[in-house]
Amino acid sequence: MSKPAGQQDGGRTGRRPGQSGTREAILDAARHRFAQVGFDKASIRSIAAEAGVDSALVHHYFGTKQDLFVAVVALPVDPVIVLGPLNAAPIDRLGEQIIRTVVGAWDSPAGVGVLAAFRGVIAGADPTLIRTFLVEIALKDVRVRVDVPKGSGDKRIALVASQMFGLLAARKIIEIEPIASMSLDELVPLVAPTLQRYLTGDLP
């Protein structure tokens, strides 16, 4: 007896060439794969297979794997554009540049989407995707640059992330004054030295 169109052995949905719901199926599959194995190990091919579509269809809807991740996390901006100045900064100015880059993004119109994602984590949503974004995309290049002595990069990035999450909560969630209303130029000399110590200073 022939199987219904689009159905494979075991009842798994077969390849669906662009019908209604395919975009959502790809997002669901990508969300699962990114959370399960991380950004680096989740391939477009494996995401397509889980969604039951051809890899070309994933590229058609979302472009690159990073574009797909941005869609999954619902980020309002392309992290490559935002993080460009950070990755180009001299290592002894990384603390300052992180503050200028990250707080600048929070304070921009796109910051509403970032804040929404942060609120979701606080509300109990799965933090895996946000952690994946921070470690495997946003701070990946920085982690490699500050991994001195060897093996300290993960600790340094974790300390930076804790500081930035605390600053985000104080500035945007709880709105503690005067932090909430400080200008970027006021925040930089207050917070950047702590970040720089985490990144390049001696750790216990």
Side-chain angles (χ1 to χ4, degrees), residues 95-117:
E96 174 183 345
Q97 193 59 55
I98 286 175
I99 295 293
R100 292 194 178 280
T101 299
V102 177
V103 176
W106 294 345
D107 292 348
S108 73
V112 175
V114 177
L115 187 58

Side-chain angles (χ1 to χ4, degrees), residues 60-77:
H60 169 74
Y61 277 109
F62 298 101
T64 66
K65 184 170 72 168
Q66 183 154 303
D67 293 332
L68 176 57
F69 188 90
V70 169
V72 166
V73 185
L75 291 172
V77 291

Side-chain angles (χ1 to χ4, degrees), residues 190-204:
L190 293 172
V191 182
T194 298
L195 295 187
Q196 192 64 45
R197 180 174 67 84
Y198 288 157
L199 292 165
T200 58
D202 293 333
L203 297 179

Side-chain angles (χ1 to χ4, degrees), residues 37-42 65-66 69 79-80 83-84 86-88 91 94 98 102 130-148 150 152-158 160-161 199:
V37 302
F39 178 80
D40 286 344
K41 294 181 181 178
K65 184 170 72 168
Q66 183 154 303
F69 188 90
V80 172
L83 297 172
L86 173 59
N87 293 329
I91 195 167
L94 280 175
I98 286 175
V102 177
I130 295 298
R131 184 168 59 244
T132 295
F133 171 71
L134 285 173
V135 175
E136 297 189 29
I137 297 178
L139 296 175
K140 179 179 180 179
D141 291 342
V142 173
R143 182 184 64 200
V144 172
R145 295 176 67 189
V146 301
D147 192 27
V148 179
K150 193 71 173 177
S152 67
D154 288 340
K155 181 186 292 185
R156 293 180 186 280
I157 291 306
V160 169
L199 292 165

Side-chain angles (χ1 to χ4, degrees), residues 8 13 15 19 25 32 56 70 77 84 125-126 136 169 173 193:
Q8 297 175 344
T13 302
R15 300 196 180 280
Q19 72 265 36
H32 177 255
V70 169
V77 291
D126 186 353
E136 297 189 29
I173 305 293

